[in-house]
Amino acid sequence: MTERFRRRWKTGGLVALLVGAGVFAAWDVCLSAWVLRGVKVPQCPDGAFRQTVAVSFQELGRDLPGTVSVWADAHAPDARGTLMSSRVRRGSAELFLVDAEGKQTPLEPEKKDGWTRSDNDVLAAKVKLPVVTDGDYRLRARVTTPLGTDTVDAALPLYAPAVAHVLTDRPLYEPGNEVRFRAVVLRAKDLAPLDGRPGTWLLMDAAGEVVLEERAPAGPWGVVTGGFPLDRGAAMGTWTLSWRSGATQANTTFQVKPFTLPRFQVEALSPRPYWRAGESPEVHGQVVYASGAPVANAEVELTWQVHGDWPPPPEWSTGGLPTRARADAAGRFQVTLPRVPEDLRGQARLSAHVVARDAAGDRVAGAVSLLLSEDALAVSSVTELEDGLVEGFSNRVYLRATTPDGRVLPGAELTVTRAWDARDEGVRGVTDEDGVAAFQLDPGPPVNVVVPPMPVRHQRLPPPVMLSSLRSLLEPGNEPTLQERRAVESWLPALFPCARFVLPSDGIASVDLGLRSGAGGAVLDVVTGEDALSSCMAQVVRSRGLPAGRERVLALSLRVEDQGMPWFELVTEPAFGASTSLVGALETAAKDARACLPMNAEPSSRLPLALSWRVGAKQEVTTSWSTVPGAKGGLSPSVEACVRERFARVKVDESEPGKPALGVMWLAVHSVSEVLEKEAGRARTFLGYELKVVAKVDGKPVGDTKWVLRPASLPALRLRATPVLARGGDEVRIDLMRGPGFRGQLPEELKLQAGKEELVVKLEKGATSARFRLPADFEGWAESTWAGATARVYVAPRARLSVEVSPEKPVYAPGDLARLQLRTQVDGQDGPAAVGLFGVDETLGQLVPLPGGDALAGVRPAPATSQPAFGVLDGMALAQGRIRGSNAAAATLVRVSTVPMLQDVEARVSASATSLFDAEAEVVEPFYAVLAELHEQVRQWEEKAPEGETLVPAGVAKLWSQALLACEKRGEKVTDAFGNRLRLSRLPRELLELTDPRAVVSRGTRLPEDVENWNEWVAREAP
C-alpha cells in the first residue's frame, strides 16, 4: 500500500509539475527561475543570475524616524545573449550605520512587524538613527535572497545646522609669509560650540586655483586652526579662504602683495569735537617714527573735501583752505582754517587727506575730519506711529539727545515746547544711559513748517574761451612748436568778449578756424564759419600775430561757453506776416548787445523799450524805438544808446524771397544770480510740527535745537509690552490699545509665545491688558500677536562673557619679551573661555583696514529692523547687549520687523545608492588571457600547417576553443559575468575585433585572398 501511494504521489507530482509548467508557459515565464530563485523572467537564463541591490531613504535624521527602502534585481542573458533584468521577489534585509572608521551599528525597524514588501517587491521600514556626533556616515544595506547576500552603502552626512566664521591673523601678506587662520563653528540651535565637528579648509589663490584642501575638524570650543606658507612666487591679488562642514560654509579674503611698513606715521585731529559758525577750526597733528621719536621738519600736505548739503564758500575749493604745513622739532604741526560762515545750516564735515614727507623723501598718509554744526545739540526721535505725531493725542515719543559729534547725554533733562508758541511750557523727560528720554506728547494742531533754502554760492566761472586743439599743418606730424602754442594761447583773453554770442541755454559751443601767416608772423588769412560767434573770433585773430621766421598754416579748435554776463530775452509780437530771417537777425543783435549791459544789471521781466520793425517786399528792414510811458525799470541812457546801436545793424538776406511783415519786439533782462537763486530753490513749506528742544545737564544748559515731525495716523490697534527688556521669571504686561478705527470685540485671551512655550491669559470682559510670567530659564524673544498688532519682549542670555587683556609691564624696552595677561569672566565670575589673539604692527593699518572688535558679530543672529533707531541703534546692538538704557531698548524694539529664529530642528537627509554591476567589464580580464593563448595557438598553426593552407574564420573559431581548454587546464578564469565560457558570439564588438583572423595571423600569406567579414560570420554562425 505504501509503494502504491508512492507511485501515485510521483505520478500526481509529475502531473502537477506538468500543469504548472503549462501555466507558466502560458505566462511566458521561466519556471525554474521563479520556483528556485524567486525571479520572474520571460526565458530561462543562459548562465547564472547576477544580483544588484539598492537602498533609498527619505528624511533620515538623528533620533528622527525616516523611511528606508531596499530591493534586489537579478540580471542574466537569454539564449540569444540579450540581457534580462527582473526584481528578486524573495529575501530579507538588514541595515547598519557605518562611521568614518568603518564601525557598524545595527539599525532595527521601529515597528514590530519589521519590513513590509510592496507591490513592486520593495522592502520598506521605518528606522530611527541613534544620536551620534556630526560626521560623514554611511547607511549600509545587506540583502539576502536566493541569489546570495550582497551589500550597498549610501552616503549619510549627519551635520547639525551650524554657523561658522573664518578670520586670518592679518588682512595683508607678502609672498613668503605664513598665513595663519582660524574658524569657529557654533550650533545654530543654541550657538553652543561644536567640538569635533568635521570640516575642510579650502584655500584658493588670486587666479582661482585651489592650493590647499585639508581636512580639519573643530577642536575644543568649536575652534579650528590652520596655516599655510606662501611661496615667494605666490600669485598677487585677493585670496579666498573657506572652511566647509556639511552645508555650513564660512569665507574670508586677504590680499597678497609686496609691501613695506611705513617707518613713521602721521596723526592729525581736531582739538574740539565740533565747530560752530563764526569759529576758526584748527587741526593739530604730529609726525612720529614707529619707535615714537618725532620726525622733525616733516612736510605736510592736506587735500580737503566738504561733505553735506550746506554749500561751502567757493574759495574753500580754490585754495582758501590751508594745503601745506611743516612740523617743528617735536614733529608737531598746526593749521588754522578760515572762519565758518554765519550762514552755516545743519551739519557739514570737512575731511582732509594728510600726507607727510620726511627728509629722506618717504611719504605716509593719514586723514582728519572736522565737524561743522549749526546747533550745539542734536536730537533724533522714534515714535510708535510711523515716526510722526497725531494731533490731539498722547503720543509715546522716544527722543535721543547727543552733542553734534554724537556723544550721548545720559541723565540730561530735555524740555520740548512748540517753537511757534512762546507760552507753551512743554513736557520734560530725563535721558537714560544711552541718552534716550521717553515721554507722552500732545503736539497740538499741525502748523505750516517753513524750511529755508540753503545759501546761494556764486561759483567762480571758468575762462569763457579755451583752446581745445591746435595743429600746425607745415610741421611733421602736425605738432605745433612751443612758440606757436604760447602765441595762440596769448590770444585767448582778446577772444573773451566774443563769448557774448553764447547764451547759458546754449551750453558749450565749438569754433573751428583755419589761418595762414606770413614769414613776418602777421596773419594773412582766416577762414571760419559765417555765424556771429565765428565772425567775431575771426576778426580778433586777424589782428594778432605769430613769431616771425617762416610761414605757417594753423588749424584751431576753440571751446566757448557763457562767461556769466547778463543777457537779453526777446519777445516778438508780429502784427502781420512773419519773417524768420528777421527774428534770427534780432536774436543775434540781442546777443551782441550783451556787451552793453553791466555785470550787475538788475533782472527785468520786460523793459519799457519796444522796437517796431517792418520788412518790405524786397527784404529791406526799417526799425524804430518806442518808450512805453509809466513802465517800471529801464536802462541807463548810455546802456540804452549802446543797445540801440547794436540793433541798428540788423539786416536780412535780400536774396531770399519773402513777404512783407510788421511787428514789435520787447526785451527782458536776465542774470546769472537770478538763475542761481532759482536753482537754489525757495523755502519749502509743509504741514507738520515744529518743536524746540532744550537740554540741561546738572542744571546747566547744554544747547537747543529745532525738532520737526510730520503728521501721522493712528492705527486701529496697537500692542505694547512692559518692560521690553526682561529677565527669565519676570512678569510682563501686554497692553492692548485701540484706535478710532477699531471695530469688533476685544479678545477673550491673549497669548505670549516664549520660545517653544505658549503662555495664555484669559481676559475679563472689557479688559485691555494681560500679565504673563516668563519661564525662569527663558532666553531670547517673546512675541504676542493679535489682529495684526505685535508686541515683543527680549530676554538677554544669562551667560555674559567678558575678556580683559593687559600687559605684564606698562613699558618694554626694544628686545624685551612682552607677556600678556588674560582674564575671562562669565556672568561676572572667572570662568573658562576660548580666546584668540592676533597681533599686528599698528602701522599696517595705514596700508589696509584692520578688523575691529565686531569681527565675529555675524555668528550671532540679530533681529531685522526696518531702519536703525535714531540712525545708530539696530538689532545687532540689542542682541550684543550694547544698549543699556530701557528707553533706548524700547525705541529699538519699535523698529524691529522680524526676530531671529534659531534652527531648533535636526537636519534630515535623503539619498539612494545601487551596487555596481558591469557585465562587459567582467569579461575583459579573462578575455585577454584567452586572447594571449589564441595568439600562441595561431603561431603553432602557422608553423605546422602545410604550405598554402590559409586561416579562415572557422579555423579561428576552432583555435579559440583550443585556447579556452588550454586556459582552463592552467586554472585560469575563462567565464563571463554569468558563469558561461567566453563565446565569440557573446563578446563585445570592440573585443571581438581583436580576434579577427587578420589581427591574429602574423604572415599575410596565411590569409585567404577572398576576405570574409569576421563580424558577420560570427553573428551568423554564433560560435
Side-chain angles (χ1 to χ4, degrees), residues 55 57 96 98 104 138-141 151-155 912-915:
V55 62
F57 52 87
F96 304 91
V98 185
Q104 292 187 159
R138 290 171 291 158
L139 182 68
R140 177 169 294 169
T151 61
V152 62
D153 290 351
S912 61
T914 305
S915 59

Side-chain angles (χ1 to χ4, degrees), residues 603-947:
S604 175
S605 59
R606 178 174 288 189
L607 293 175
L609 193 65
L611 176 68
S612 301
W613 49 267
R614 184 184 188 284
V615 180
K618 297 182 179 180
Q619 297 299 292
E620 66 276 10
V621 178
T622 57
T623 60
S624 63
W625 292 92
S626 303
T627 301
V628 180
K632 297 181 180 179
L635 302 175
S636 65
S638 60
V639 172
E640 182 176 335
C642 178
V643 171
R644 293 190 179 198
E645 189 272 333
R646 301 298 172 117
F647 278 93
R649 308 173 188 173
V650 172
K651 293 181 180 180
V652 296
D653 189 357
E654 298 180 358
S655 62
E656 295 182 3
K659 297 180 179 179
L662 179 68
V664 178
M665 179 202 72
W666 301 85
L667 292 175
V669 178
H670 298 285
S671 65
V672 175
S673 59
E674 176 188 10
V675 174
L676 291 176
E677 291 176 0
K678 290 182 179 180
E679 292 178 351
R682 297 180 179 178
R684 293 186 299 111
T685 303
F686 63 89
L687 198 64
Y689 305 101
E690 185 175 6
L691 306 171
K692 182 180 180 180
V693 182
V694 179
K696 293 182 180 180
V697 176
D698 297 332
K700 299 179 180 179
V702 175
D704 61 81
T705 187
K706 287 185 178 180
W707 174 35
V708 177
L709 289 94
R710 293 182 180 270
S713 58
L714 193 64
L717 182 69
R718 291 174 295 149
L719 290 181
R720 180 186 295 166
T722 307
V724 294
L725 289 182
R727 293 180 297 180
D730 285 357
E731 184 180 76
V732 176
R733 187 181 78 249
I734 304 295
D735 294 318
L736 190 153
M737 293 172 287
R738 294 164 290 179
F742 179 80
R743 299 291 184 272
Q745 300 295 325
L746 290 172
E748 297 180 356
E749 62 181 21
L750 276 181
K751 299 178 181 179
L752 181 66
Q753 190 70 39
K756 294 182 178 179
E757 187 173 351
E758 185 179 64
L759 308 178
V760 181
V761 172
K762 298 291 184 179
L763 298 180
E764 297 181 2
K765 186 175 182 180
T768 57
S769 65
R771 296 181 180 274
F772 299 86
R773 179 70 63 179
L774 294 174
D777 59 347
F778 176 69
E779 296 178 355
W781 293 88
E783 285 188 340
S784 179
T785 302
W786 187 76
T790 302
R792 298 183 177 92
V793 178
Y794 179 63
V795 178
R798 290 181 176 81
R800 292 289 182 175
L801 178 64
S802 63
V803 59
E804 297 179 3
V805 183
S806 59
E808 188 179 30
K809 297 188 299 184
V811 178
Y812 291 88
D816 286 354
L817 178 63
R819 298 181 184 274
L820 297 178
Q821 297 176 343
L822 288 88
R823 183 184 182 186
T824 57
Q825 291 185 324
V826 180
D827 286 341
Q829 303 294 327
D830 292 344
V835 180
L837 294 178
F838 299 91
V840 297
D841 193 317
E842 66 176 354
T843 55
L844 185 66
Q846 300 184 50
L847 303 178
V848 63
L850 301 178
D854 58 347
L856 291 172
V859 299
R860 175 178 287 276
T865 52
S866 56
Q867 56 181 339
F870 314 110
V872 293
L873 301 180
D874 56 7
M876 183 61 71
L878 190 64
Q880 292 182 342
R882 291 189 279 114
I883 300 179
R884 299 167 297 166
S886 59
N887 296 333
T892 305
L893 276 175
V894 171
R895 294 289 177 84
V896 172
S897 55
T898 57
V899 298
M901 301 298 293
L902 295 177
Q903 300 184 43
D904 193 14
V905 295
E906 173 66 28
R908 294 177 178 265
V909 184
S910 300
S912 61
T914 305
S915 59
L916 298 178
F917 168 65
D918 190 346
E920 292 187 0
E922 295 189 22
V923 172
V924 174
E925 184 176 353
F927 166 78
Y928 278 104
V930 179
L931 180 64
E933 181 61 28
L934 175 63
H935 279 270
E936 182 63 26
Q937 295 285 343
V938 172
R939 299 291 87 75
Q940 294 178 9
W941 175 84
E942 288 179 336
E943 294 176 359
K944 298 177 181 180
E947 194 69 31

